[in-house]
């Protein structure tokens, strides 16, 4: 006999004018190696076919199934019930727009973020199909990959005190993305161009330094290091901007 | 109802769909991608191991070239592929890999100097040349003569997909995520777009386009034990089959991957074996060298999966509550290698199995993995039967994989075929106009509205959609698995015909405004059952063994009678597909011969057009 599990699940259908946000209780008996993926699918298939939640890869790779699990954002697919108490509370991620129940619209949020940080290689070169590839040290390739591993699950955004009170705050995932491109020699943007994206309260200086982002990142990306690095770099850039305004020839120093 | 109009409509925004979109958008055509999930969540993201391209940079890849890649691919396909496509593919792959590097992929690079690698559990030395330092490196994969699989750690699909989607952002390609295409709009001759359902609101939409691309991935979720993501239910193939015109090529060609973890069937990459991991049995002993002395763990996937199943059948499996399994051992590769080059594997083992692969062996057994079959297209990616309809990636039968796909050739196909097909679509679009017939659009929309209304009203019955899905999955798993025979296949066809009748009587339990996950599944269920019947029925008819299609009652590869591709169509009102056949290749650059791994007898073709077939070629 497995443990009796009690799930308190957030329910709300924003399209239905009669729907009121509330918690609903479901019961399941725990089975071997049960994950929240298994549990939620069982609830939907056996108890309530209307329950909305998202899964895709069910293997911790795609980032679809992030939700608040007993108050902490994490991927539901890789969360084993045996690591949780018998009372399990599931809520949708905050910050993102609610689609229904546990399902939130991360797609629109991340597309907007990627547009804002211009998340692509900026180069004046054109691709030559006949030329060999440009060389890169394996060490650098691995450093870039380390930051490239973000799966855009949204856990860091959900755990961010600032993002929860200011919808425009870019969040650790955007900073990590910028750090990734700053590291990449194929991207020709100058520090000041990054500064234009990152400055202000919505950007790196709005970060409160609570570091909830790194604590919850399911891919264990070193977000704290990136925040520190960006703040130092952008701090210098902002001083150069300041001098640019008050000193003759200071604009030159920006370049 | 919202109506959208565009030059190119890509149904699916994984790697193939997005690569096609990028090609068309680069030529200035308006492009919309539909995706049932945010594009970066597509199943492409789960591909770990890498992408084959014959760059020949690393020392173990020296001398590699498109000719060798072509030959490996044709042998891998067990001569079931279209050799013109395989040639086009092998020639373009190196360019596509370098283009992805140009767009930002952090491919792993050659590190000059001495190094070690493992093969068959033994350590060997290698020396990378100084002059190749910093070029894109490659790892070993099954069925290849050279180390050819380019990779970024074991997150290759993830980096490719994010880089491709970055390109989509850069080019301003419109992506409508959480939109589910449920029917093509066509008049029997020309495709004009799709009817789709908005998965945020439940509303229907019409998308009208000059060209429509199906790039929705495979149909692995028709099997119970699959490595595929939950969204891989064959939706694109269903769109094509529903036309009654567009054929489903080689439905019976279904690949099993040797290393799905037990019990969840999550994949651990072939890179584990490529990097020197070994398979072991209940006694902790290796066995692949007994069956395949040459290639050992790195024979092609169909061969390794069959020997594993055989080894379990003779009692050498490890007993477990989930049935017998085998072990994958990567412990000897060492913590440093596992923590960098196989870090997703480490994560999957730790998180889903409570197994530490640095100190413990991984429980594995073959699971359904890849659909070689799909929407039949010509070498330009144009679907048979409907003008303006195209397909690419796993959803397509383009057909470079024939009856078995080599590891590292699927990621490569998404990007290479995406590039080729995308450029062909851009050519097609130049000067092309389509007459959108409003009555055709109206009828297509009305038909879907009526279907949804009937489901919600429970007009046709009250069958549970989940019960029907489980019945489909069980029937395929039990009857159309790694080894097949007439009795089991017949039983599977009979069972599926009964299930098909049930699938027509599905009713929805839930009445909710807006999104209704049960409706999404119900709209797909008859189509999934048709796919399953195509797979089972085509497998029953094919009385030979070729690639992943292994008939115990017909162990020979029979080129005399079966050197041909299955084309399945579904006529309205039927309860079985109509099967036709075509030659797999117009051009026989490499005449049928032995693969060099896997023991199979061959009955050679007597067709004079199959050059050299009267004189069997040897490896």
């Amino acid at each position: 006999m497995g443990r009796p599990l009690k799930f308190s699940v957030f329910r709300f259908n924003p399209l239905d004018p009669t729907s009121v946000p509330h918690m609903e209780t479901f019961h399941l008996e725990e089975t071997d190696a049960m994950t929240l993926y298994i549990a939620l699918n069982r609830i939907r298939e056996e108890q309530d076919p209307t329950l909305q939640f998202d899964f895709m890869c069910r293997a911790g790779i795609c980032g679809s199934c992030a939700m608040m699990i007993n108050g902490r954002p994490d991927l539901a697919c890789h969360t084993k019930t045996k690591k949780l108490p018998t009372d399990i509370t599931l809520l949708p991620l905050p910050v993102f727009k609610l689609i229904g129940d546990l399902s939130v619209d991360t797609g629109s949020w991340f597309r907007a973020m990627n547009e804002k940080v211009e998340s692509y290689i900026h180069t004046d070169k054109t691709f030559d199909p006949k030329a060999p590839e440009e060389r890169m040290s394996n060490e650098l390739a691995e450093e870039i990959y380390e930051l490239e591993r973000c799966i855009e699950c949204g856990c860091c955004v959900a755990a961010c005190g600032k993002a929860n009170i200011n919808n425009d705050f870019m969040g650790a995932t955007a900073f990590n993305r910028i750090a990734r491109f700053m590291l990449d020699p194929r991207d020709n943007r100058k520090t000041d161009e990054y500064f234009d994206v990152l400055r202000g309260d919505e950007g790196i200086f709005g970060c409160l330094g609570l570091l909830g982002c790194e604590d919850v990142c399911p891919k264990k990306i070193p977000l704290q290091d990136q925040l520190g690095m960006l703040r130092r770099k952008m701090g210098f850039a902002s001083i150069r901007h300041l001098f640019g305004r008050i000193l003759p020839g200071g604009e030159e120093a920006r370049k | 109802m919202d109506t959208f109009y565009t030059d190119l409509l890509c149904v699916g925004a994984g790697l193939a769909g997005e690569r096609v979109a990028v090609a068309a958008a680069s030529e200035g055509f308006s492009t919309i991608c539909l995706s049932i999930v945010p594009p970066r969540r597509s199943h492409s993201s789960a591909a770990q191991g890498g992408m084959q391209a014959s760059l020949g940079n690393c020392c173990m890849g020296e001398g590699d070239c498109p000719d060798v890649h072509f030959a490996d691919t044709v042998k891998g396909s067990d001569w079931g592929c279209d050799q013109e496509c395989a040639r086009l593919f092998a020639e373009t792959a190196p360019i596509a890999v370098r283009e992805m590097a140009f767009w930002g992929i952090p491919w792993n690079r050659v590190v000059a100097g001495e190094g070690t690698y493992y093969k068959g559990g033994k350590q060997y030395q290698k020396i990378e040349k100084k002059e190749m330092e910093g070029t894109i490196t490659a790892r070993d994969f099954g069925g290849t003569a050279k180390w050819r699989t380019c990779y970024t750690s074991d997150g290759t699909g993830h980096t490719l997909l994010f880089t491709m989607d970055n390109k989509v952002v850069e080019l301003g390609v419109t992506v409508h995520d959480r939109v589910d295409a449920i029917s093509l709009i066509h008049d029997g001759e020309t495709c004009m777009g799709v009817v789709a359902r908005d998965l945020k609101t439940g509303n229907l939409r019409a998308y009208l386009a000059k060209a429509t691309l199906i790039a929705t991935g495979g149909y692995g979720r028709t099997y119970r034990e699959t490595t595929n993501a939950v969204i891989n239910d064959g939706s694109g193939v269903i769109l094509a089959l529903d036309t009654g015109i567009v054929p489903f090529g080689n439905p019976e060609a279904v690949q099993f991957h040797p290393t799905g973890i037990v019990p969840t069937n999550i994949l651990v990459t072939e890179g584990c074996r490529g990097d020197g991991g070994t398979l072991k049995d209940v006694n902790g002993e290796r066995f692949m060298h007994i069956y395949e002395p040459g290639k050992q763990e790195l024979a092609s996937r169909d061969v390794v999966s069959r020997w594993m199943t055989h080894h379990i059948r003779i009692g050498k499996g490890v007993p477990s509550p989930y049935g017998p399994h085998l072990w994958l051992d990567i412990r000897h590769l060492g913590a440093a290698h596992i923590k960098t080059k196989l870090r997703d594997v480490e994560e999957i083992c730790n998180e889903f199995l409570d197994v530490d692969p640095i100190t413990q062996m991984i429980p594995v057994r073959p699971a359904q993995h890849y659909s070689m079959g799909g929407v039949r297209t010509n070498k330009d990616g144009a679907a048979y039967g409907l003008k303006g309809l195209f397909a690419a990636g796993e959803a397509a039968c383009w057909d470079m994989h024939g009856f078995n796909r080599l590891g590292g050739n699927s990621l490569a196909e998404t990007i290479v075929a995406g590039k080729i097909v995308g450029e062909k679509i851009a050519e097609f679009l130049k000067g092309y106009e389509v007459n959108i017939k409003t009555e055709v659009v109206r009828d297509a929309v009305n038909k879907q509205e009526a279907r949804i209304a009937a489901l919600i009203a429970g007009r046709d019955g009250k069958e549970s959609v989940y019960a029907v899905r489980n019945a489909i999955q069980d029937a395929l798993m039990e009857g159309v698995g790694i080894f097949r025979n007439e009795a089991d296949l017949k039983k599977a066809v009979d069972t599926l015909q009964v299930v098909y009748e049930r699938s027509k009587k599905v009713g929805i339990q839930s009445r909710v405004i807006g999104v209704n996950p049960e409706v999404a599944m119900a709209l797909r269920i008859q189509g999934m059952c048709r796919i399953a019947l195509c797979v089972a029925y085509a497998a029953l008819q094919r009385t030979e063994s070729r690639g992943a299609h292994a008939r115990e009652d017909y162990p020979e590869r029979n080129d005399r009678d079966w050197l041909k591709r299955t084309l399945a169509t579904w006529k309205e009102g039927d309860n079985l597909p109509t099967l036709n056949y075509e030659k797999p290749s117009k051009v026989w650059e490499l005449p049928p011969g032995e693969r060099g791994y896997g023991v199979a007898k061959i009955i050679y073709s007597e067709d004079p057009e199959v050059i050299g077939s009267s004189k069997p070629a040897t490896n």
Side-chain angles (χ1 to χ4, degrees), chain A residues 11 13 15-18 31-33 35 37-38 41 44-66 75-80 82-83 97 99-100 103-108 110-111 113-116 118-154 177 180-181 184 186 218-221, chain B residues 37-48 55 57 95-96 98-111 130-137 152-156 158-160 162-163 165-170 172-175 177-178 199-202 221 226-232 263-267 321-322 340-341 343-344 347-348 350-354 419 464 466 469-470 509-518:
Chain A
R11 302 301 306 268
N13 178 354
L15 294 170
D16 181 355
T18 65
T31 52
D32 274 351
T35 61
Y37 164 72
I38 294 168
N41 276 289
R44 181 152 80 190
E45 293 180 16
E46 296 163 13
Q47 300 182 32
D48 187 343
T50 66
L51 185 62
Q52 288 186 58
F53 53 78
D54 296 314
F55 284 94
M56 209 294 292
C57 74
R58 55 82 175 95
I61 291 168
C62 80
S64 295
C65 61
L75 301 180
C77 71
H78 77 183
T79 302
K80 287 185 279 269
K82 74 173 183 193
K83 295 202 169 161
K97 190 179 169 196
I99 291 175
S103 176
V104 295
D105 183 3
T106 51
S108 306
F110 280 102
R111 171 81 187 220
M113 183 279 280
N114 282 308
E115 284 173 1
K116 197 166 185 175
E118 299 182 20
S119 169
Y120 42 86
I121 297 280
H122 289 54
T123 179
D124 299 331
K125 295 178 192 160
T126 47
F127 175 66
D128 177 0
K130 293 193 183 84
E133 65 272 20
E134 271 189 39
R135 298 190 185 217
M136 179 185 276
S137 76
N138 191 55
E139 203 180 337
L140 178 58
E142 284 182 349
E143 271 181 63
I144 296 171
Y145 176 67
E146 181 68 18
L147 307 186
E148 181 89 22
R149 291 184 307 112
C150 168
I151 56 174
E152 299 192 346
C153 60
R177 189 63 53 79
R180 175 248 176 272
F181 281 103
D184 196 326
R186 294 167 292 197
K219 303 305 277 189
K220 301 182 180 65
I221 295 170
Chain B
V37 291
R40 294 181 186 215
R41 312 244 188 269
S42 304
H43 191 42
S44 302
S45 69
Q48 297 164 7
L55 298 174
N57 290 334
I95 300 169
R98 291 186 174 123
E99 189 172 50
M100 291 310 296
F102 187 78
W103 290 347
I105 297 287
W107 293 117
N108 276 65
R109 303 288 174 145
V110 172
V111 178
K130 185 76 195 148
E131 64 261 34
M132 299 315 286
E133 171 105 16
T135 56
I136 298 168
T137 193
T152 49
S153 183
D154 57 356
T156 317
H158 168 84
T159 56
L160 284 168
F162 272 52
T163 299
D165 197 57
N166 283 343
K167 199 72 196 161
V168 159
V169 169
E170 181 184 355
V173 171
T174 305
V175 178
D177 71 9
R178 293 177 185 265
L199 296 177
K200 289 178 194 165
T201 64
R221 283 278 157 179
T226 174
T227 65
N228 282 200
V230 296
I231 58 172
N232 293 82
T264 54
N265 301 308
I266 295 170
L267 181 76
Y322 307 98
T340 54
K341 301 239 169 27
R343 58 192 295 169
D344 272 2
E347 215 171 282
I348 287 167
N350 277 311
E351 289 180 1
F352 294 91
L353 284 173
D354 280 333
K419 180 180 168 72
S464 151
Y466 300 113
R469 181 204 60 195
N470 293 347
Q509 295 177 47
S510 49
R511 309 269 175 281
V512 284
I513 293 167
V515 201
N516 187 332
E518 204 186 0

Side-chain angles (χ1 to χ4, degrees), chain B residues 341-484:
Chain B
K341 301 239 169 27
L342 297 170
R343 58 192 295 169
D344 272 2
V345 171
E346 191 201 8
E347 215 171 282
I348 287 167
C349 291
N350 277 311
E351 289 180 1
F352 294 91
L353 284 173
D354 280 333
V355 161
D356 174 10
I358 296 167
T359 56
Q360 293 170 288
M361 294 193 286
I362 310 165
V364 292
R365 85 177 148 218
Q368 191 286 341
H369 181 60
Y370 189 82
S371 323
M372 273 78 72
V375 179
R376 177 68 188 133
T377 73
N378 66 14
K379 64 180 174 182
D380 296 342
Y384 285 17
L386 274 187
K387 194 174 183 187
L389 181 66
F390 298 81
E394 191 177 349
C397 179
W398 184 40
D399 160 22
M400 55 161 286
H401 304 304
F403 274 74
N404 175 62
R405 171 178 73 74
L406 295 181
N409 261 356
S410 68
L411 269 188
E413 184 194 10
T414 59
I415 290 173
V416 177
K419 180 180 168 72
I420 292 169
V421 173
E423 284 163 9
K424 288 289 171 187
I425 290 178
E427 261 175 48
F428 167 84
L429 286 169
K430 279 173 194 158
Y432 175 73
E433 299 297 337
V434 62
N435 290 315
I436 307 278
K437 298 174 186 158
T438 52
E439 75 274 20
V440 174
V441 180
R442 184 200 61 213
D443 289 351
V445 173
N446 286 351
K447 198 173 165 188
Q448 297 309 315
E449 273 175 351
R451 265 180 84 196
I452 295 169
L455 278 172
I456 291 176
R459 217 170 281 150
D460 302 317
K462 300 274 182 214
E463 279 281 358
S464 151
V465 64
Y466 300 113
V468 173
R469 181 204 60 195
N470 293 347
I472 295 170
Q473 292 178 334
D474 289 348
L476 276 191
M477 207 67 222
E478 276 146 35
V480 205
I482 291 182
F483 288 107
R484 302 166 176 190

